[in-house]
Amino acid sequence: MNPKIDLYLSKAKQWRQETEKLRMIILDCGLTEDLKWGKPCYTFQESNLLIIQGFKEYCALMFCKGALLKDTRRVLIQQTKSVQAARQIRFTEVQEIVAMESLLKAYIAEAMEAEKAGLKVEFIKNPEPVPEELQTRLDGMPALKSAFAALTPGRQRGYILYFSAAKQSKTREARVEKCIKQILNGKGLDDS
């Protein structure tokens, strides 16, 4: 048990019981506990395997490489269509977690086996088209093009989704301009 998680739980205003129950189930499976991205994160062989997430409407156990799991019970949820690897199991009360304990342990064991086997999620690199406004800036600034290419596929995709979400070209251009410095610094959209 990691004291960082104890502190996290002491400050939790919502989903505390659910998080505590999930924590006990996960620790019973022999995973290493840490606090990453402000959330309880569980690793196996130094790879992130699970994260407990609290949202307004539900608490979730996220499998970082959930797309690799068979999901015979059809309980895994792809949070949004742009999420490629992660899958969640959502809960609204602790009784749901108690009822699913053996299934959760089976899914965790399957995730551990996938990690032992070295299985990887096949990512679609930039499945969304690069917005014209970004492509114009990349073509006009070799340093920006190099910096963007050096970003991880996930960070590239984050920018592409953010820029593409704007309906007007003027807004897309403004977003690209606002992010140039961050891209040149090798940072993703949400990095500080």
Side-chain angles (χ1 to χ4, degrees), residues 128-131 133 158-167 172 175:
E128 296 80 16
V130 175
E133 296 78 5
Y159 281 116
I160 289 170
L161 290 171
Y162 173 64
F163 300 147
S164 298
K167 292 180 180 152
R172 288 190 295 272
R175 287 182 178 186

Side-chain angles (χ1 to χ4, degrees), residues 1-10 12 14-16 18-24 26-27 31-43 48-55 59-64:
M1 294 179 98
N2 189 316
K4 292 179 190 175
I5 305 303
D6 295 328
L7 182 60
Y8 170 87
L9 286 167
S10 73
Q14 189 178 17
W15 310 117
R16 183 178 180 160
E18 291 79 7
T19 301
E20 287 174 343
K21 182 60 181 168
L22 287 169
R23 180 188 196 196
M24 292 300 111
I26 295 166
L27 290 175
L31 299 180
T32 302
E33 181 176 62
D34 201 357
L35 189 69
K36 296 183 181 181
W37 309 285
K39 307 279 183 221
C41 181
Y42 298 86
T43 60
N48 297 328
L49 204 69
L50 303 165
I51 299 174
I52 299 175
Q53 304 170 303
F55 295 93
C59 172
L61 178 60
M62 185 187 80
F63 290 80
C64 297

Side-chain angles (χ1 to χ4, degrees), residues 128-141:
E128 296 80 16
V130 175
E132 182 181 327
E133 296 78 5
L134 174 59
Q135 192 62 57
T136 300
R137 291 301 277 155
L138 294 174
D139 293 342
M141 285 181 69

